[in-house]
Amino acid sequence: FGLARLGSLTEVSDDAELRRLIALRDGLNSDIEDLRLRRDAMTADDYQAELLNNMLELATVEEQIEKREGELE
């Protein structure tokens, strides 16, 4: 299944903080995709724990992006 990439169409911003957050989000999405590719080499518990950590961090970053975008409007 595909991972929803909320905010992935965000225009490139002149705001350094927003660019930093978007780069962080993109890195987390990449980490999640890499994790999925390594899934078969991991125990189910390790996979789920790492996926959960990445997803929680991604949700936090998405929230920060939305907040920063609201501040810039």
Side-chain angles (χ1 to χ4, degrees), residues 1-45:
F1 77 101
L3 177 65
R5 297 188 104 163
L6 300 174
S8 62
L9 298 177
T10 303
E11 292 182 24
V12 175
S13 173
D14 290 335
D15 184 71
E17 177 64 8
L18 184 56
R19 285 194 315 269
R20 182 190 72 79
L21 290 167
I22 290 170
L24 183 56
R25 179 199 58 207
D26 292 346
L28 286 166
N29 279 323
S30 179
D31 289 349
I32 291 167
E33 290 301 318
D34 290 344
L35 176 63
R36 287 191 173 129
L37 294 174
R38 297 188 331 248
R39 182 179 188 170
D40 291 339
M42 303 173 75
T43 67
D45 288 343

Side-chain angles (χ1 to χ4, degrees), residues 43-54:
T43 67
D45 288 343
D46 287 344
Y47 173 78
Q48 290 177 351
E50 194 169 335
L51 181 61
L52 179 60
N53 285 336
N54 284 327

